[in-house]
Structures are given as C-alpha cells and as structure tokens.
C-alpha cells in the first residue's frame, strides 16, 4: 500500500500537479485503508467503482484547485445522487436519491471524489453513533470506546487517516463532540454559512453541515469550498465568499477570550479542565487576555434544545411514510396500517422516542407552553452570548465533559446523550460557529478537545487562533488516531 | 315550524395564476400527464427545502388590498402537521398565526341595501396532491401539490343563503378582475366551504356548527345552505340534538350528505416553519404592488355608467371580462358608449357565442369598431345593416366603407322618398291605421314593419318611426 494519504493536502496537491501521483492512486489507497479498518465500521455505504472511474476521468484534466482529485467521505444524512443515503435508518436503507445536496454539487464541482457514506446516529439523533441501524463505529484510539456522534463515522475515518476530508452535520454538537472524542478538527460554521439543501433535516433551525479534517488548515480549505448563498435554501446567508485560511499564521497577540465559569465547573472531568487550563496558560503567554465570567442561560441550553430539536424533528420525520420512497410495510391493510407499520418497523427506538416527545411538545396548548417559550428564551440566550462578543473575540472551553466512554456503557438513560452535549449545544441554539481542536490526551490516552466559539461569520479568525494553538502544541502534523499507542 | 336565525361563515380557497408553484420552481399548470409537473420538493423528498415564490406574495398583497384588509408587515409561515397521502411532507405549509391580510370586507348589494361581509383573514398556503381512488388502490398525482392557494375566511356574519351566494359572486368578480385566479368553481380553482348554525334568537349562543365542504357551484352555495337549514330546522323542531359535523352537497340527491362527525380538538401541532425566514413588507413595497392592480369590476361599473351605459349593460359587460377589456380600450376616445356596449353585447356577442370564438380571434380592428359605432350613431347604418355586414366585418379585412358599398347600403336619409313609402303604407293598411287611431298601440308596430319592408330595410328606423308617427298624428287631427 502506498502511504500518500499520510501527507498533507498541500503536498498531495503539488504531487498531483506534477503528475507524480494520480487521483486514482489516492482513491485506491483510500479504499485499501478503509478495508484495513473495516472493523471500525466507519462507513455505511462505499462507492468504490464509481470513485475509481471518477478518479480515472480526472487524469487528463487540469488540476484547477487545491481540492482537485482528493477523496472525501460524506455523512450519510447528506443526499448523494445515485448513491444510497440511509441516515443510518432502516426506513431509508433502500433509498437511492435522485438529486445531489448543494454541498455535494460543490465538492463535485471541485473535482473531489466521494468515496462513501459515513456511519452516524440514526437521523443524527444520538451522541455515540450507537443508534445507527448499521451498528456503531469504533473509536480509533480505543476500539472499545465510542466515536461520539452523531457524525461518528466521519470522525472515525478522518482519525484513522483513511481519507483527508469528511463532511459532518451538527445540530447539537454532532461534529464537534465526535471530533473531540476522536482527536480531530471539526467545524460547525455559523448557521446559514453552508446550504442545508440536501441535508436530511433533523432540527431545521439548528442543523448545519461542516468540515471534518485532521488539521486546522485543511479544515479551512474544505470550508472554502462549501460556503455561499444558495437560492434553494432561504436560511443560507448572503455573505460573500472568503478564504478561511487567510489569517492562519498571523499573530494572535491581543486577542480577548472569555471562559464561562459553567464550562469549567464540576460538570467537567478534572483531567479535561487541566488540559484546558494548560492551553489557557499558553495563550496568556502570548498576551491574550483571558477572563472567566458567568453567561446567562447556558445551563438551560439542553432543556431548550430538547424542546426545539424534538419538536422540529417530529415534523421533519413525518414524511417517512412508506408511500413515495424508503422502507414500506408489506401488504398493509389500509393507509393507517401502512403508516403505523412502516414507521414501527423503520425507525429505531431513539428516533421513535424523540418523535413522540416532539409531537407531544407541539400538541395543543403545549406548543405555547413549550416550543414558543423555548424559541423566545433562545433569543435571550443568543443575545446574552452576542453581548459577550461585544468585548471578547472568542468564548473558549472544553468540547466535552468527559473523554469517549465505553461502547458497552448503558444506553438506558435517554437524557445521557443530551448531557454529553451540554457544552456544545448553546452554540447551535445561538447559531454561532464552533470549532473543536485536539489539545492533548487523557491518562487513558483518549483525546481531549478544546472548543472555540466565535462571533457569527468569524470562522477565519477562529482558524487563526486554532492554528496557533495547534502549532504551539505540536499537533499540526498528520497524527493518525492511535499513533500514541504504536 | 319555528323560525330560526342562521349564522353562516364561508371559507374560500382560490388557486393563483402564477407561473410556478408556491414553494418550488415547478410549473403551475394543468392538463399534463400525472406527476409531470413535479420535482423533489413537491414530492417531499428528504433534504429538500421550500423557497417562496414572490409572485404569490404579491398576489396575496393584491387580494388583501382588494378585500379591504389590513396587511401584516411582518409574518411567517407555519407547519400544519397531519398524516394524509395527499400531503407529501405530512405537513402543509400555511399561515396560521400571522395571516398576510386581516379585518377586511366585501360589500354586497341586497336590492337597494348594501351589506359588508366581514373578512376575518386571508392567508397563503400550498395545495395538496390529487388522489384518485380506484378499486383497491389510491393513485396520487402531485401536479397540484404546491400550487399556490389563498384562503379567504369570513367572520360568521352572513345571515342568509342569498347573502352567501351574493358574497361568493362578488368575491369571484373581485378576484377575477384582480387577475388573482380564474375562479373556476367547477374545475376546482375556486373552492367553497360553508359553516352553518341555527339559533332561535340573537341572544342565544350559536347553535351546533355544520360544515358543508367543497360546494361545486355558486348556485349550490345557496341551494345547499337552504337544504341544510331545512334539515336542521326539522331536527331542532323535534328538540333533537346533533354533533358538529362535516357534510357535502349531493347534486343528484338535492340534499346534504354526512361525511364525518367532527373530531374534538383536531390537533395540527402548528409551529412556525423553520425553513422559511420571516417576511418583512415595507410600505413602499406594498404601494408598488398596489399600483399593479388592474381596474376593478366596481371601478368599471362606475366608469361605464358615467358614460351613459345602463346598469344592466354595465353588469353584462362585467360578466364578460373580454368584452369589458375590449371596451376599455376606447375609454380615452369619445365614441358613443351606449351604442358601443349594445353592439358588443348584442350582435357581436351573438356572433362570438355562435362560433365559440373570442373577440381576439376575429378581424375586428379598433378602427373598424370606432367606424362602426360612429356610422350607427350618425344613422348611416341601421341595426339591420349591421346584422347584414357584421360577418364580413369580423371575418374579412374590408373596411366599413367598402362593405357599405358592396352591400349597396344607401340609407334613406332622404325624407321625400321615405315620406312616399309611408304614405303608401298608410293607404294600403287603412284598418291598421284606424286601429292605431282608436288607441291600439300595437298597430303602430305593424305599420312600422310595413314601412321597413317596403324600404327593404334601408329606411333609418328612428327617422321612419318619427315620420310615421307625425303622419298618423296629422290624420288624427
């Protein structure tokens, strides 16, 4: 097996330009690595034949951009034309879409090669990817641990070094939390930055697609390709295209950082807090001002999130009824039997639970009591966070309260999965950008992540700070998940 | 039988004449094969998102203005959640909490009296798909899914079946002339549901509400309400109670038929559509839309009457939009409008109806029309002449003067010739003349007929009639 995929994207680009390697060689290596890592269960569907053909067709084309000819993995809730898209659910396990998501059109326009669809929690509902109909992915740093979720497959395959790029989606931490557990870089951009057209909706007002990569620079490169106003998504922003790598390497001196006391409270493991404090010390040395403060509503974020996310999900998932696509109950007696049977058979437990709670929350007077109230407190929460950004450039904290836990840990407590995301959820609620970068390992050699929260549309500056920390910590190499073990 | 006071409220859905659907770029049209006018958005595919057709918003603003509604400046769409196969997402995007228009009215004429039918609200929403039930399957055609609808809801302020009918007629006229919808009730582009309850006196609470769904014609609005009133009165007279229910009007039966008992607390789990940002309408934007509203039916009626056209003819013109539009082309000229309207509603309409064609399909030019009206006015052409040459006017490029020549029309504007004819008729019809003189007015008509016959239709009827009358009066002296 060649070992080109251990090189940086910049290096690969140079080699491709000089025709020293071909896209096909990269795709072949990619599939060899995936084959080798089969037991990590990072993928639901692989698209080897088409990917190889696509790679061949690129051989005589000019290498017109830095992403040209590079393989990418796509989370399985992002619609890919002619390539099965399951959302890790039985209800869509035979679903072959007839259109491409806007982000997929964009990566195809950059001549990137989709190699397959990554594993995830069913309909992105969960934080350990264990609600997948196809079984959970395994953490590259310790096979007995979870990869996190819901973008667990994407985090796993990046961490394993199978592929340089992956797309994830983040409704309540689903990019950043698995990125933290697997020790990779994951960005949830500002709500509206990337078109949601073709992202199978979980909670429409919170969902956002984002890039997952090994390092900060490459993350910014992929984000460059994904953004832009999309007339097919009215919630997408009119912000002009920009180069997110442009500030990387510039001085971070004089930046101002806020750390909410809640993010460093008893809810977080001591070991993680220590690593974050180490990082803070590093920043202070560079004349970065760091203040600890209280930010209102952060403690309420999970409750509000549950109401909004489950309410919206109950409606978004109503379309899976067995009539037009996807799984359908065989020989139904009547229409009700088709509805009940299809959804009974097709959805897993967690999805059913959330649909039921969501339906209840929107039912009759409850909509006023819960959903509308949650929307209004959410506005207050957003204002409280934006107020902080009046004085500070970033809000920092740990991404997760613990490191990745055991796959066999109980799933009986449904609220556990939300509490895993207590530190990342406020970002979605306020529509802010949030980024995870690895900052070290725990005593049991599991990755610890730093969470950088930025102002709306301030991703470039977040990459600037993240790249600085990455470099200071000597993590800007292409470390492969589990390397510390070898 | 006791007398009851009916309380009626009406909900109307109209399909808009837009190019594309309300939330997707699919073509809004009919007559195509099943599911030809659909895309992934209409079919509710996973991952698809709605966009908002600006044309629909503009049409809704126009409707709000035409129905004298207040317009909401800040609004959103809502999801109405319910499972039904005609609804691809299993929710309908509609406006529940912030309808675009509210507190309006439509004025109807009850004889001499006018009454304002109050409009509770109007809102935008998407149509569902069409289901066709076969033996043991249901077929779905999503061409109609996502066709833009405006729903217009009155307050429960209609107090008779006649008012209900007049309201629908007036609403239809307003929407037609506003270019909002083609309002074809029989084809489903205008759909009416009526809510009816009866009570004994004004101070009583409202009676049990019965909804009559999908009434198929304007006449049936009146008929179905009348039949339903009779049905309910009978029950109430016998002190029978009945549950709130949905019924439909069966044309063959001539009565309403139960569809279903209303479920208590139908729970649509409404919430604001998160895929569509709030819409904000500026005063300037609304003002610009207002400017695009074409001349309304009422404005036309007023204009026509101010130009001497009778109310009857004005109404007839408005019933026939294309004739009204045609006549409006001449509003800036000083043609004789009563003659022009008579011509359009009389011989021209007769010709068009006979041949099933429209005015645009004929060779009538504006010049020829003006010429025709002028020549009728100056009595160069009689109505008989018009009948003779009209086919050529409408079917050939020949000018009116040419046709007059070709048809040897030499109208007797010459009194001496006419006088000699009249004298001859008087001599040859002494008994009729005597009848006339002894007060039988009908005899005059007969004598006039003889005059026209004698002149082979070339006599100017007005002139001939005047002359005949004066001759006869002379005899009387």
């Amino acid at each position: 097996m060649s070992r080109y995929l251990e090189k940086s994207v910049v290096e690969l680009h140079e080699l491709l330009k000089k025709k020293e390697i071909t896209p096909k060689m990269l795709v072949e290596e990619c599939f060899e690595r995936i084959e080798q890592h089969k037991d990590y269960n990072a993928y639901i569907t692989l698209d080897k034949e088409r990917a190889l053909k696509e790679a061949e067709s690129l051989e005589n084309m000019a290498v017109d951009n830095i992403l040209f000819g590079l393989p990418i993995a796509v989370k399985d809730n992002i619609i890919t034309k002619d390539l099965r898209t399951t959302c890790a659910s039985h209800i869509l396990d035979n679903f072959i879409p007839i259109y491409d998501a806007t982000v997929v059109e964009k990566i195809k326009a950059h001549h990137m090669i989709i190699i397959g669809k990554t594993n995830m929690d069913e309909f992105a509902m969960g934080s350990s990817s264990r609600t997948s109909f196809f079984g959970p992915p395994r953490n590259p740093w310790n096979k007995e641990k979870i990869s996190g979720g819901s973008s667990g497959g994407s985090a796993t395959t990046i961490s394993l070094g199978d592929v340089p790029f992956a797309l994830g989606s983040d409704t309540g931490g689903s990019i950043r939390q698995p990125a933290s557990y697997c020790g990779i870089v994951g960005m949830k951009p500002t709500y509206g930055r990337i078109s949601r057209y073709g992202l199978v909706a979980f909670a429409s007002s919170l969902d956002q697609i984002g890039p997952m990569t090994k390092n900060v620079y490459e993350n910014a490169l992929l984000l460059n390709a994904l953004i832009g106003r999309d007339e097919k998504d009215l919630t997408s922003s009119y912000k002009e295209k920009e180069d997110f790598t442009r500030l990387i390497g510039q001085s971070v001196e004089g930046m101002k950082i806020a750390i909410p006391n809640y993010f460093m409270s008893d809810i977080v493991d001591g070991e993680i807090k220590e690593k974050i404090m180490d990082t803070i010390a590093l920043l202070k040395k560079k004349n970065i001002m760091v203040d600890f403060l209280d930010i209102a509503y952060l403690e309420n974020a999970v409750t509000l999130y549950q109401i909004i996310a489950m309410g919206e999900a109950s409606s978004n998932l109503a379309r899976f009824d067995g009539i037009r696509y996807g799984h359908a109950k065989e020989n139904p007696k009547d229409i009700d039997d088709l509805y009940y049977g299809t959804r009974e058979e097709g959805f897993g437990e967690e999805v059913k639970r959330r649909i039921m709670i969501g339906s209840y929350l929107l039912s009759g007077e409850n909509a006023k009591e819960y959903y509308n109230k949650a929307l209004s407190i959410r506005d207050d929460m957003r204002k409280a966070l934006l107020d902080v950004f009046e004085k500070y450039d970033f809000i920092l904290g740990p991404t997760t309260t613990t490191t990745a836990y055991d796959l066999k840990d109980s799933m009986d407590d449904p609220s556990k999965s939300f509490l895993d995301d207590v530190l990342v959820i406020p970002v979605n609620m306020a529509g802010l950008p949030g980024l995870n970068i690895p900052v070290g390992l725990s005593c049991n050699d599991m990755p610890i992540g730093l969470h950088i929260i930025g102002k709306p549309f301030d991703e470039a500056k977040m990459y600037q700070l993240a790249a600085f920390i990455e470099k200071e910590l000597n993590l800007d190499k292409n470390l492969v998940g589990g390397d510390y073990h070898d | 039988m006791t007398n009851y006071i009916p309380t009626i409220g009406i909900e109307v859905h109209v399909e808009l004449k837009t190019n594309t659907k309300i939330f997707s770029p699919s073509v809004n049209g009919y007559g195509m094969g099943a599911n030809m006018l659909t895309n992934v958005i209409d079919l509710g595919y996973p991952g698809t998102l709605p966009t908002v057709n600006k044309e629909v918003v503009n049409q809704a603003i126009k409707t709000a203005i035409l129905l004298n509604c207040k317009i909401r400046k800040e609004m959103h769409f809502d999801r109405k959640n319910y499972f039904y196969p005609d609804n691809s997402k299993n929710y309908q995007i509609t406006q529940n909490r912030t309808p675009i228009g509210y507190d309006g009215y439509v004025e109807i004429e009850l004889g001499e009296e006018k009454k304002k039918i109050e409009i509770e609200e109007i809102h935008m929403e998407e149509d569902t798909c069409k289901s066709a039930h076969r033996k043991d399957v249901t077929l779905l055609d999503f061409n109609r899914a996502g066709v833009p609808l405006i729903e217009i809801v009155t307050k429960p302020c209609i107090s008779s079946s006649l008012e209900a009918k007049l309201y629908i007629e007036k609403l239809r006229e307003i929407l037609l002339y506003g270019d909002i919808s083609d309002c074809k009730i029989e084809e489903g582009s205008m759909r009416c549901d009526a809510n009816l309850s009866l009570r004994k006196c004004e101070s009583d609470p409202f009676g049990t509400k019965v909804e009559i769904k999908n009434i198929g014609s304007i006449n049936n609005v009146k008929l179905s309400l009348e039949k339903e009133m009779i049905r309910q009165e009978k029950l109430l007279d016998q002190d029978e109670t009945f549950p709130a229910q949905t019924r439909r009007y069966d044309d063959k039966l001539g009565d309403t038929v139960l569809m279903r008992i209303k479920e208590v607390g139908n729970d649509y789990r409404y919430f604001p559509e998160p895929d569509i940002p709030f819409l904000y309408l500026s005063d300037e934007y609304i003002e610009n839309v207002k400017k695009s509203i074409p001349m309304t039916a009422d404005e036309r009626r007023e204009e026509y009457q101010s130009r001497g056209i009778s109310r009857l003819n004005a109404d007839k013109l408005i019933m026939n939009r294309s004739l009204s539009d045609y006549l409006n082309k001449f509003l800036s000229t000083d043609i004789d409008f009563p003659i022009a309207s008579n011509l359009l509603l009389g011989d021209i309409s007769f010709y068009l109806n006979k041949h099933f064609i429209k005015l645009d399909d004929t060779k009538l030019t504006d010049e020829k029309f003006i010429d025709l009206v002028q020549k009728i006015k100056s009595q160069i052409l009689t109505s008989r002449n018009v009948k003779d040459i009209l086919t050529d006017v409408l079917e050939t490029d020949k000018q009116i003067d040419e046709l007059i020549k070709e048809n040897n029309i030499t109208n007797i504007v010459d009194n001496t010739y006419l006088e000699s004819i009249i004298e001859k008729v008087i001599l040859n019809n002494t008994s009729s003349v005597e009848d006339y003189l002894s007060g039988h007015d009908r005899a005059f008509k007969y004598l006039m007929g003889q005059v026209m016959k004698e002149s082979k239709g070339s006599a100017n009827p007005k002139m001939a009639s005047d002359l005949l009358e004066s001759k006869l009066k002379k005899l009387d002296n």
Side-chain angles (χ1 to χ4, degrees), chain B residues 31 95 145 176 296 337 345 379 407 450 462 465 473:
Chain B
Q95 288 191 297
L176 264 176
T296 66
F337 282 88
L345 293 166
Q379 304 182 340
N407 287 272
Q450 295 304 307
K462 177 85 173 39
S465 153
K473 278 205 174 126

Side-chain angles (χ1 to χ4, degrees), chain A residues 195-251:
Chain A
S195 168
R196 290 186 297 116
Y197 190 80
L199 170 66
V200 180
F202 162 14
S204 315
S205 70
L206 301 163
D207 296 342
Q208 186 65 198
I209 293 169
M212 299 173 81
T213 56
K214 198 65 81 50
N215 60 50
V216 174
Y217 183 78
E218 291 170 8
N219 201 281
L221 280 183
L222 182 54
L223 185 60
N224 281 348
L226 304 176
I227 60 157
R229 168 70 181 179
D230 179 10
E231 293 306 327
K232 291 178 188 161
D233 175 6
L234 297 179
T235 64
S236 71
S237 135
Y238 282 96
K239 287 272 173 201
E240 305 248 321
K241 283 238 164 206
E242 59 181 283
D243 177 9
F244 292 102
T245 65
R246 70 184 188 278
L247 302 178
I248 292 177
Q250 289 186 20
S251 164

Side-chain angles (χ1 to χ4, degrees), chain B residues 15-17 59 62-63 66 150 175-176 178-181:
Chain B
E15 286 182 351
L16 304 188
K17 293 195 287 183
Q59 292 287 57
K62 275 197 217 168
T63 307
L66 287 166
I150 289 182
L175 298 176
L176 264 176
D179 284 335
I180 306 292
S181 169

Side-chain angles (χ1 to χ4, degrees), chain A residues 156-455:
Chain A
T156 301
T157 195
I158 290 292
S159 176
L160 287 166
D162 295 335
V163 58
F165 296 109
L167 292 183
S169 73
D170 190 318
T171 305
S174 280
I175 286 175
R176 294 158 288 153
Q177 184 256 35
S180 174
Y181 285 172
C182 293
I184 64 156
V185 178
M187 168 68 102
K188 186 215 82 93
T190 314
Y191 185 79
R193 187 61 113 162
I194 298 176
S195 168
R196 290 186 297 116
Y197 190 80
L199 170 66
V200 180
F202 162 14
S204 315
S205 70
L206 301 163
D207 296 342
Q208 186 65 198
I209 293 169
M212 299 173 81
T213 56
K214 198 65 81 50
N215 60 50
V216 174
Y217 183 78
E218 291 170 8
N219 201 281
L221 280 183
L222 182 54
L223 185 60
N224 281 348
L226 304 176
I227 60 157
R229 168 70 181 179
D230 179 10
E231 293 306 327
K232 291 178 188 161
D233 175 6
L234 297 179
T235 64
S236 71
S237 135
Y238 282 96
K239 287 272 173 201
E240 305 248 321
K241 283 238 164 206
E242 59 181 283
D243 177 9
F244 292 102
T245 65
R246 70 184 188 278
L247 302 178
I248 292 177
Q250 289 186 20
S251 164
V252 295
E253 273 186 56
M255 284 184 171
K256 294 185 187 120
I257 285 169
I259 299 185
N261 289 318
Y262 181 65
F263 284 2
M264 295 297 272
S265 66
D266 289 345
I267 57 169
V268 181
D269 273 4
E271 209 182 5
I272 294 179
K273 279 194 275 191
E274 259 174 53
K275 268 281 177 292
I276 301 300
M277 288 313 287
D278 289 350
T279 312
I280 289 167
L282 189 96
L283 296 176
K284 279 183 170 168
K285 268 197 257 169
K286 283 283 165 183
N287 283 331
I288 291 178
M289 186 181 101
V290 180
D291 285 341
F292 286 79
L293 43 88
D294 285 318
I295 301 176
Y297 301 110
L298 289 182
E299 298 95 303
N300 312 109
V302 171
T303 315
L304 298 174
Y305 169 83
Q306 286 179 304
I307 294 169
I308 292 168
M310 292 198 261
E312 291 179 10
S314 71
S315 172
N316 283 331
L317 270 63
R319 66 188 61 196
F320 303 104
D321 57 14
I323 295 179
R324 283 147 289 119
Y325 44 75
H327 174 77
K329 183 185 177 175
E330 276 178 45
N331 305 315
K333 284 201 297 285
D334 52 27
I335 185 68
D336 283 338
D337 191 32
L338 177 66
Y339 287 149
Y340 288 118
T342 299
R343 293 165 70 82
E344 164 66 35
E345 295 164 7
F347 289 135
E349 290 305 307
E350 182 61 22
V351 172
K352 279 180 204 161
R353 179 179 4 246
R354 295 198 192 188
I355 291 173
M356 276 192 280
I357 297 172
S359 301
Y360 172 78
L361 290 169
L362 291 175
S363 175
E365 288 303 300
N366 290 351
K368 260 185 222 147
E369 187 72 20
Y370 300 111
Y371 187 81
N372 292 0
K373 205 183 270 178
L375 285 185
S376 106
I377 305 174
R378 172 187 176 167
D379 281 346
D380 295 337
M381 191 167 112
R382 179 178 161 83
K383 278 178 202 134
L385 283 163
L386 290 178
D387 274 351
V388 174
F389 285 117
E390 291 288 313
K391 283 193 213 139
Y392 298 92
D393 300 299
F394 304 104
I395 296 171
L396 250 57
T399 307
T400 55
T401 56
T402 64
T403 55
Y405 51 87
D406 286 348
L407 270 168
K408 61 179 194 319
D409 276 8
S410 164
M411 285 175 80
D412 291 347
D413 179 5
S415 57
K416 161 100 176 95
S417 114
F418 293 103
L419 293 174
D420 289 347
D421 293 333
V422 63
L423 303 172
V424 277
I425 279 175
V427 169
N428 301 79
M429 296 297 282
L432 301 171
L435 174 69
N436 174 77
I437 56 163
V439 288
L441 295 174
S442 65
C443 62
N444 64 347
D445 283 334
M446 292 306 291
I448 290 171
L450 172 76
H451 190 203
I452 303 175
I453 304 170
K455 292 177 201 175

Side-chain angles (χ1 to χ4, degrees), chain A residues 76-80 85 87 92 95 97 99-103 123 195-202 204 207 209 230 232-235 316-317 319-320 324-325, chain B residues 40-51 79 88-89 91 275:
Chain A
D76 207 21
N77 60 348
I78 296 170
I79 296 282
T80 43
T85 300
C87 294
L92 284 179
F95 178 58
Y99 78 101
D100 269 331
T102 297
V103 282
F123 285 102
S195 168
R196 290 186 297 116
Y197 190 80
L199 170 66
V200 180
F202 162 14
S204 315
D207 296 342
I209 293 169
D230 179 10
K232 291 178 188 161
D233 175 6
L234 297 179
T235 64
N316 283 331
L317 270 63
R319 66 188 61 196
F320 303 104
R324 283 147 289 119
Y325 44 75
Chain B
V40 284
I41 301 168
D42 310 324
L43 293 169
Y45 263 65
T48 57
L49 297 170
T51 51
R79 289 191 189 174
S88 64
K89 303 181 290 298
Y91 60 80
D275 288 329

